Amino acid sequence: MSATAPKKHTKTQSTYAFDNTATNIAASQMRNALNNLADTVQDSEKQSRFENEMDSFFALFRRYLTDKAAGSTLDWEKVKSPSPDEVVQYKSLSENGANNLDKLAVLKLNGGLGTSMGCVGPKSVIEVRDGNTFLDLSVRQIEHLNRKYDADVPLLLMNSFNTDADTEKIIKKYQGHRIRVKTFNQSRFPRIFKDSLLPVPQSFDDDLDSWYPPGHGDLFESLISSGELDSLLEQGREVLFVSNGDNLGATVDSKILDHMIDTGAEYIMELTDKTRADVKGGTLINYEGQVRLLEIAQVAKEHVEDFKSIKKFKYFNTNNLWINLRAIKKLVEADGIQAEIIPNQKTISKGSSDINVLQLETAVGAAIKHFNKAHGVVVPRSRFLPVKTCSDLLLVKSDLFFLEHGALKLDPVRDGFANPLIKLGSHFKKVSGFQSRIGHMPRILELDHLTITGNVTLGKNVTLKGTVIIVCNDGDKIDIPNGSILENVVVTGNLTILEH
């Protein structure tokens, strides 16, 4: 008897029927709940805007139910590495000068709070270098561009309901600068109870933790509903350069802008070489002849190691994106952007109990598959300098970089070398803890790897080289004296210095 391949598990007709019924019931209950929510809005103008927002949310929710019932996962056999014309090397691009700046607008994703780094308010106002915040640096870069080339590139900030009020106050200080800063809000969607799939908020003005901003994939609809997209088109703008507000490497690059206009591409994603630290980052793939972004959340458990392979997928998405504005308008009006939904599980406190909730999000990078001539450009690592933690903050504040017109430039000594790997322990999780322990930046030009855990303080003029590991036991304290030079050492709780 010949062995046959095991059958793939497929859903029976009765399972499908059950799932479809459950989907329809959940959708109809959600629709009723959203209508009830809309009835709680008193102001008629606000009500109309809120109803539009809830319609968008309902479309997302409906799609989530359908996808869940269909159990749609990627067929791993069809996942291919992108072809050479789908991924272009930055060094092969030619430059025409700054002729196309009048066609450009810059957008920073500014919806995040600084809570993960122990700060209150928008993350973009954390001080990162020489007294400048993320936002200051973005403004300085574009202002310099406008002065140098006599241009008028506008800066847009997409806020969330969490960052909107604070950002409005902060940007007043740029009024005398040669730059137009515009802000608009992304959507405010209701969180849903994980078990009942019904909205958490009971009324329009419920607590903030009943709502969530639905990820940066919401950019397309929010650009249009805010009126900002039409305004940009009226100014003759054609290309939007989008990046995360905390990526200090995401500066305007006229080579990529020229390449986009020359090739007629509607969407360009900047990729960079994957290192061991980036194996979870989304990557460009070819799927059934189409360029797509593949995120680790979409990969079945048995293929996660393949996904992390640096050989098969050499590059990852920096979330620096160049997108054609007319193409956005055309696709949104045709309801043509169906980015993969990322269900994000959270826990919130209601009264004395913790409740599991879901928020349905989308990523702006996932929309690449809908745009014509979309492709990736492999850029130098210097264009990806995100600051997610205080370990990243140490890197960008250090002597590895110097500031030039608001842009961080790598010291030529490090050219061609990977940035040092820096791991700071829980005492450094918050910016306040970081600043109190590392008040003066150490010199790290010759550093490869730094690990610090426990209650450790660095003095002034400390130099770190090679691999430096400082481990302080609970209850102990280590003060590294002023002027210390630590090279290839392990420093432990009793300040013994061992060769490493």
Side-chain angles (χ1 to χ4, degrees):
M1 197 172 113
S2 64
T4 54
K7 273 190 178 175
K8 260 192 173 173
H9 178 71
T10 51
K11 291 189 173 186
T12 63
Q13 281 304 111
S14 60
T15 310
Y16 270 122
F18 177 82
D19 283 352
N20 281 335
T21 308
T23 295
N24 291 335
I25 291 170
S28 121
Q29 286 179 331
M30 175 60 81
R31 185 69 270 180
N32 291 338
L34 295 177
N35 292 344
N36 294 339
L37 264 180
D39 290 341
T40 67
V41 189
Q42 303 306 313
D43 179 304
S44 60
E45 192 184 319
K46 272 187 183 169
Q47 185 172 40
S48 159
R49 208 165 49 232
F50 182 72
E51 282 173 348
N52 288 339
E53 217 163 38
M54 291 308 100
D55 287 347
S56 298
F57 171 74
F58 183 67
L60 186 70
F61 179 72
R62 181 98 220 199
R63 208 151 57 78
Y64 165 70
L65 293 176
T66 311
D67 289 354
K68 207 166 78 143
S72 51
T73 51
L74 288 175
D75 179 347
W76 192 255
E77 298 305 310
K78 294 178 181 175
V79 174
K80 305 278 184 270
S81 301
S83 64
D85 59 326
E86 289 165 342
V87 172
V88 178
Q89 296 296 325
Y90 177 81
K91 50 182 174 284
S92 72
L93 308 185
S94 52
E95 188 164 12
N96 314 331
N99 309 342
N100 290 313
L101 286 179
D102 58 340
K103 296 173 181 163
L104 179 71
V106 176
L107 184 142
K108 293 285 180 185
L109 300 168
N110 189 48
L113 291 167
T115 41
S116 64
M117 292 171 74
C119 294
V120 178
K123 187 175 180 185
S124 57
V125 300
I126 293 175
E127 189 188 307
V128 281
R129 183 84 198 209
D130 303 355
N132 292 278
T133 65
F134 289 106
L135 204 46
D136 291 337
L137 294 177
S138 297
V139 168
R140 281 183 60 186
Q141 289 160 20
I142 295 169
E143 188 178 29
H144 170 67
L145 206 62
N146 287 341
R147 282 187 195 285
K148 186 175 176 183
Y149 297 106
D150 193 24
D152 184 24
V153 176
L155 172 65
L156 285 84
L157 303 173
M158 183 168 86
N159 298 332
S160 67
F161 60 85
N162 289 317
T163 60
D164 177 49
D166 287 335
T167 304
E168 280 302 323
K169 287 180 206 146
I170 291 154
I171 61 170
K172 287 193 170 77
K173 70 176 179 178
Y174 305 126
Q175 281 170 355
H177 293 245
R178 182 166 171 167
I179 183 169
R180 288 181 295 132
V181 184
K182 298 289 298 267
T183 66
F184 66 98
N185 265 16
Q186 67 175 119
S187 304
R188 185 185 81 148
F189 283 177
R191 284 175 161 162
I192 55 180
F193 292 113
K194 191 172 175 234
D195 50 4
S196 69
L197 293 184
L198 286 169
V200 173
Q202 296 299 298
S203 77
F204 167 76
D205 50 10
D206 251 12
D207 296 349
L208 284 187
D209 70 357
S210 299
W211 308 89
Y212 73 100
H216 40 59
D218 182 49
L219 166 72
F220 304 112
E221 281 204 358
S222 299
L223 255 180
I224 288 183
S225 61
S226 64
E228 289 302 334
L229 189 128
D230 284 338
S231 168
L232 291 172
L233 289 174
E234 279 162 24
Q235 296 165 36
R237 306 285 155 185
E238 294 174 21
V239 175
L240 189 65
F241 172 43
V242 179
S243 64
N244 293 349
D246 63 7
N247 179 6
L248 293 174
T251 56
V252 170
D253 189 304
S254 50
K255 270 172 81 165
I256 302 175
L257 176 62
D258 295 344
H259 168 73
M260 181 164 181
I261 288 167
D262 292 347
T263 56
E266 290 181 347
Y267 192 118
I268 286 176
M269 176 180 284
E270 290 186 36
L271 309 166
T272 196
D273 290 339
K274 211 190 241 192
T275 66
R276 294 274 166 222
D278 314 303
V279 290
K280 291 182 178 176
T283 189
L284 266 199
I285 59 165
N286 180 300
Y287 191 78
E288 298 184 320
Q290 184 186 46
V291 175
R292 284 176 67 163
L293 178 69
L294 179 64
E295 300 278 8
I296 195 162
Q298 296 163 263
V299 179
K301 281 194 182 72
E302 63 268 26
H303 297 300
V304 164
E305 287 313 308
D306 297 340
F307 172 82
K308 289 180 178 178
S309 154
I310 290 178
K311 282 204 179 92
K312 183 165 183 174
F313 303 112
K314 293 186 210 159
Y315 315 114
F316 73 98
N317 168 28
T318 62
N319 222 37
N320 298 348
L321 310 166
W322 302 74
I323 313 174
N324 181 283
L325 288 163
R326 285 195 188 285
I328 293 175
K329 187 172 168 76
K330 189 178 75 190
L331 282 165
V332 172
E333 287 176 351
D335 198 20
I337 297 181
Q338 305 277 310
E340 284 78 12
I341 295 168
I342 307 153
N344 192 349
Q345 295 195 36
K346 298 273 182 184
T347 307
I348 59 169
S349 298
K350 284 276 174 200
S352 58
S353 50
D354 286 345
I355 295 164
N356 293 326
V357 297
L358 271 184
Q359 45 193 55
L360 306 178
E361 300 174 10
T362 56
V364 63
I368 189 168
K369 62 183 178 185
H370 299 298
F371 290 81
N372 295 327
K373 298 187 179 177
H375 60 274
V377 171
V378 181
V379 297
R381 184 77 188 199
S382 57
R383 291 190 58 75
F384 183 67
L385 257 186
V387 180
K388 304 288 182 198
T389 62
C390 288
S391 302
D392 299 331
L393 198 55
L394 174 56
L395 194 67
V396 299
K397 278 177 173 284
S398 76
D399 60 342
L400 278 193
F401 297 95
F402 59 95
L403 261 190
E404 194 176 82
H405 308 301
L408 283 188
K409 303 284 185 185
L410 187 67
D411 187 299
V413 169
R414 287 294 296 207
D415 218 17
F417 292 96
N419 286 337
L421 192 60
I422 296 174
K423 293 179 182 172
L424 301 179
S426 57
H427 284 70
F428 301 84
K429 188 171 176 11
K430 295 183 174 180
V431 172
S432 55
F434 170 84
Q435 286 171 336
S436 66
R437 290 178 172 79
I438 307 181
H440 304 273
M441 287 305 114
R443 296 192 182 96
I444 63 168
L445 265 181
E446 297 174 59
L447 179 71
D448 300 321
H449 179 127
L450 172 68
T451 295
I452 304 180
T453 58
N455 188 7
V456 176
T457 306
L458 299 189
K460 294 180 189 174
N461 301 320
V462 170
T463 303
L464 306 173
K465 302 179 180 186
T467 295
V468 177
I469 298 170
I470 307 172
V471 180
C472 181
N473 301 328
D474 280 352
D476 289 343
K477 187 174 192 297
I478 293 180
D479 291 319
I480 302 297
N482 296 343
S484 300
I485 299 173
L486 302 181
E487 181 171 6
N488 294 329
V489 292
V490 175
V491 181
T492 56
N494 53 8
L495 258 180
T496 317
I497 295 186
L498 307 167
E499 282 305 315
H500 176 73

